Amino acid sequence: MYGLVLEGGGARGSYQIGAFKALQELGVEVNAVTGTSIGALNGAMIVQGQLERAYELWYNISPYQVFDIEESRLLELKNLEISHDGLLYFMKKAKEIAQDKGLDITFIKKLLQENIQESKLRKSKVLFGFVTISLTDLKPLELFLEDIPEGKVIEYLLASANLPAFKQEKIDGKRYMDGGFYDNLPLNMLVKKGYRDIIAIRTKAPGRTRKVLNPNVKVKYIATDENLGGILDFNQDQARFNLQLGYFDAYRQWQGLKGRKYYLRPTGDEEFFMNFLLAPGEKAILRLGQSLGLTGIPYRRLLFEHIIPKFALLLDLSKESSYEDLVIAILELVAADNKVERFKIYSFNDFLAAIRKNCRDGKFVNVGESPRLPLFVKQSDILARAVKDKVVREMVNGLFGEYLNEMEVAH
């Protein structure tokens, strides 16, 4: 059994529900959940056994469901085409927010009242807790359900997510603030309860995170470096993307899938991938070496001592990366440029077949219309990201352009 920890992060919380959906499909059993802010709200839905409802809410989310703003006005603002009436509307809204001392959270409260059932939470066999801060008492609160008075759970969940931008509401005369200012990833709530195996689903939103108290605790992190959107940007397209990303990232973590952008089952066959890198042949390798200013070097040494390290540098691969990692990183670049479907679990063969199917005119990556980079730029190890991307694309086309069109998949 695992404990589950859900980080605060506002609109980024959609990522967590996608990830937990995958964990449930994988048969991962969780008997305790803690969270902060949106992590607490998602956690409540999970604990009361309403994952599908949570997924549906995120899938259909829109800003006007969360904040008291007309949908048509949001579209005007998004498209930067604000009418005269729209301008007057936003001026009025700004005045209301100033007078109320924060954004109205009536809609958020209504969402919780419609979807959180305190009786179900209290009857659940899953331990549930979350973090908030008492501004009145000037102290953080790590609350489990037994610490919360009957009938007050929704109020305290709102307190856990009470950002300073929101209109401040009191509970029994006391003011509260978003728990992320104390601990946005409350691992230690479960550590103190004796949990040693924990899954943490991160949003990497601003907030304080604390060091795990017990070094013997094993934490599996599900996280991404991709943009999950702003914490108050309840954009439907972003939410749907995050749901898919979280879902497949959880599969990557649990099944050890390869790839950073795509999802591939590992083969572990290093010899196959060494041969894959050699397969374009001596002429292609020497030609690429010449374009990099490397001449007079036997082609195998050229490949393994110069070209492969250059690829690894440009693709930001660590020294621990395998040949399999390198080949997949190269092919991910090709796949992205050729709009290969991302959210799918591939075998290596299937991934390669999808790339070849989508490629056009033998040009596997988008080098662009600009002239080729000068030699001194290609030889530099200190390059801006945009320049790195162009160099690696030229190298991929130079080495694999002809080969990938003609090869037979053999693994």
Side-chain angles (χ1 to χ4, degrees), residues 325-350:
D325 294 326
L326 175 64
V327 170
I328 288 172
I330 290 170
L331 292 180
E332 283 188 296
L333 187 71
V334 179
D337 276 3
N338 287 281
K339 296 181 173 54
V340 171
E341 181 184 351
R342 177 180 180 182
F343 291 121
K344 178 179 177 180
I345 298 176
Y346 291 92
S347 68
F348 182 77
N349 276 3
D350 289 342

Side-chain angles (χ1 to χ4, degrees), residues 106-129:
T106 301
F107 282 34
I108 301 174
K109 187 186 296 186
K110 185 171 181 288
L111 272 173
L112 264 65
Q113 290 169 342
E114 290 173 349
N115 294 285
I116 303 299
Q117 298 176 45
E118 182 171 334
S119 60
K120 273 192 174 183
L121 287 173
R122 292 192 184 276
K123 289 176 183 176
S124 174
K125 294 180 181 179
V126 179
L127 181 70
F128 179 49

Side-chain angles (χ1 to χ4, degrees), residues 229-246:
I231 61 172
L232 293 178
D233 182 14
F234 290 88
N235 175 280
Q236 189 175 94
D237 290 340
Q238 183 72 58
R240 291 179 178 183
F241 172 82
N242 292 352
L243 286 167
Q244 284 190 295
L245 186 65

Side-chain angles (χ1 to χ4, degrees), residues 288 307-315 326 330 392 395-396 399:
L288 176 57
I307 291 175
I308 286 176
K310 186 72 172 180
F311 268 127
L313 177 70
L314 294 170
L315 293 166
L326 175 64
I330 290 170
V392 77
M395 289 178 63
V396 170
L399 186 59

Side-chain angles (χ1 to χ4, degrees), residues 142 187-189 191-192 210-217:
E142 295 180 331
L187 295 160
N188 288 315
M189 287 186 71
V191 173
K192 292 172 189 175
R210 294 178 176 271
K211 186 177 179 180
V212 178
L213 293 173
N214 187 336
N216 296 318
V217 170

Side-chain angles (χ1 to χ4, degrees), residues 257-311:
L257 302 179
K258 293 285 187 178
R260 292 184 291 188
K261 189 177 180 71
Y262 288 81
Y263 304 86
L264 283 81
R265 295 188 186 92
T267 69
D269 189 344
E270 283 293 270
E271 185 176 355
F272 169 81
F273 290 99
M274 287 175 64
N275 290 332
F276 186 96
L277 290 162
L278 280 164
E282 182 176 356
K283 287 183 180 179
I285 293 169
L286 291 174
R287 186 169 60 243
L288 176 57
Q290 187 174 18
S291 76
L292 296 171
L294 300 168
T295 57
I297 305 170
Y299 82 99
R300 287 176 178 267
R301 284 191 58 192
L302 177 63
L303 177 68
F304 288 103
E305 295 178 19
H306 298 277
I307 291 175
I308 286 176
K310 186 72 172 180
F311 268 127

Side-chain angles (χ1 to χ4, degrees), residues 1-236:
M1 288 283 194
Y2 287 90
L4 175 69
V5 181
L6 304 174
E7 188 170 25
R12 300 180 188 181
S14 47
Y15 180 82
Q16 296 171 343
I17 294 300
F20 189 75
K21 188 175 190 295
L23 292 176
Q24 192 174 71
E25 288 181 3
L26 288 162
V28 178
E29 294 188 29
V30 167
N31 64 355
V33 178
T34 59
T36 299
S37 193
I38 196 64
L41 307 188
N42 281 337
M45 295 292 285
I46 288 169
V47 170
Q48 65 185 29
Q50 290 189 296
L51 174 64
E52 292 304 319
R53 175 59 178 157
Y55 194 96
E56 179 186 340
L57 284 170
W58 279 111
Y59 190 82
N60 295 307
I61 199 73
S62 63
Y64 72 92
Q65 289 179 305
V66 180
F67 301 114
D68 184 16
I69 299 175
E70 293 176 13
E71 184 178 12
S72 61
R73 301 307 181 193
L74 282 170
L75 288 172
E76 285 185 16
L77 189 62
K78 183 178 178 180
N79 297 328
L80 298 178
E81 296 175 352
I82 301 174
S83 64
H84 176 69
D85 288 345
L87 181 59
L88 293 176
Y89 174 86
F90 284 114
M91 288 174 66
K92 181 183 177 183
K93 276 293 173 189
K95 184 178 179 181
E96 288 174 2
I97 290 169
Q99 289 173 341
D100 292 341
K101 297 182 180 179
L103 289 167
D104 184 6
I105 61 169
T106 301
F107 282 34
I108 301 174
K109 187 186 296 186
K110 185 171 181 288
L111 272 173
L112 264 65
Q113 290 169 342
E114 290 173 349
N115 294 285
I116 303 299
Q117 298 176 45
E118 182 171 334
S119 60
K120 273 192 174 183
L121 287 173
R122 292 192 184 276
K123 289 176 183 176
S124 174
K125 294 180 181 179
V126 179
L127 181 70
F128 179 49
F130 52 90
V131 182
T132 186
I133 298 171
S134 171
L135 290 175
T136 302
D137 298 325
L138 297 177
K139 68 177 184 180
L141 299 173
E142 295 180 331
L143 303 171
F144 288 95
L145 286 176
E146 62 265 27
D147 304 317
I148 300 170
E150 291 282 342
K152 297 283 186 180
V153 168
I154 289 177
E155 291 178 68
Y156 277 93
L157 283 170
L158 280 167
S160 179
N162 200 358
L163 289 167
F166 294 165
K167 181 181 178 181
Q168 299 297 300
E169 297 195 3
K170 295 180 180 180
I171 304 175
D172 297 329
K174 294 185 178 183
R175 295 184 183 276
Y176 294 85
M177 184 170 69
D178 191 294
F181 290 93
Y182 172 70
D183 192 352
N184 210 31
L185 188 69
L187 295 160
N188 288 315
M189 287 186 71
L190 294 184
V191 173
K192 292 172 189 175
K193 290 286 188 180
Y195 282 84
R196 296 295 176 264
D197 293 294
I198 297 174
I199 302 164
I201 307 179
R202 302 211 54 186
T203 64
K204 298 186 179 178
R208 184 171 184 178
T209 56
R210 294 178 176 271
K211 186 177 179 180
V212 178
L213 293 173
N214 187 336
N216 296 318
V217 170
K218 297 176 182 177
V219 183
K220 288 179 177 284
Y221 291 97
I222 299 172
T224 182
D225 290 326
E226 294 200 42
N227 179 20
L228 296 177
I231 61 172
L232 293 178
D233 182 14
F234 290 88
N235 175 280
Q236 189 175 94

